[in-house]
Amino acid sequence: MDDKLVIAGKEFASRLMLGTGKFSDVHVQKAAVEASGAEILTVAVRRLNLDNPGGENILALLDMDKYQWLPNTAGATTVEEAVRLARLARATGLSNWIKVEVVCDLKTLLPDPVATLEATKILVEEGFVVLPYTNDCPVTAKKLEEAGAAAVMPGGAPIGSGLGILNPHNIRLMKEYVSVPIIIDAGLGSASDAAYAMELGADGVLMNTAVSGAQDPVKMAEAMKHAVIAGRLSYLAGRIPKKPYATASSPMEGMIE
């Protein structure tokens, strides 16, 4: 489709982003990345062996120039931690794009919206392209946009839960409140979840556990690719309105008796 996702002025043909954690091994990881068609890959700064980038890790197996790398600050519980991890990722030359994650509860891994907003402000001021992981509150999304976020990434459900989109109404509201892309991040579990997210008007989705935790991660990565495309086409096409009663697909009017 000639329908590009644009983030910070950069165009992407794929609206599926893929996380690179939790795969059984780096070869399955590489095959899943390739099957997904994703152009934006996120990687936890804490999990990278930055002292030995040529070792057996995803950075060594993939063509670095082919992808937009999106390091994330997973594991950060304070503003200071998130900012430090972002600076570390940029200092190594990995990317000046950063997915800000600051969690406030280790049981649910729900984001801390106050700390996320503060970290976003600091990193935008330092020249980062910031994509914050946040809750599904439209007001929070608007504040993040005003702080300079290049996109807003609300969770559909808690990280790794596979529960799907728990609050579709708020996702629709976000599309009204902000003009930057809305990327559904966290909680999706199936291809139908991905398609539904796109049909709600999301500009893209980010997957990790749904793919890496599948019985066949490579097949699931390909399924997610097609689901995102189908969901986007369905959204652009415009679905029929829901009605309480039947409407004949072959009306009686005009039929020859």
Side-chain angles (χ1 to χ4, degrees), residues 183-252:
I183 310 296
I184 303 300
D185 175 19
L188 306 186
S190 67
S192 60
D193 291 339
Y196 183 44
M198 299 304 296
E199 288 180 324
L200 288 173
D203 297 284
V205 298
L206 191 154
M207 300 273 188
N208 193 165
T209 305
V211 174
S212 63
Q215 293 182 27
D216 188 328
V218 179
K219 285 183 179 178
M220 186 60 79
E222 185 174 3
M224 294 300 185
K225 175 179 72 174
H226 295 304
V228 169
I229 293 171
R232 179 65 177 176
L233 281 171
S234 177
Y235 172 74
L236 294 175
R239 62 156 294 148
I240 63 171
K242 295 182 179 181
K243 302 175 183 178
Y245 303 105
T247 302
S249 56
S250 297
M252 297 297 292

Side-chain angles (χ1 to χ4, degrees), residues 141-191:
K142 184 62 177 176
K143 288 183 179 293
L144 287 166
E145 179 186 32
E146 291 170 348
V152 178
M153 308 181 77
I159 292 173
S161 67
L163 291 171
I165 306 288
L166 296 182
N167 197 341
H169 177 63
N170 273 18
I171 301 303
R172 292 190 183 99
L173 283 178
M174 280 189 176
K175 288 297 296 179
E176 295 182 23
Y177 273 58
V178 304
S179 58
V180 296
I182 299 294
I183 310 296
I184 303 300
D185 175 19
L188 306 186
S190 67

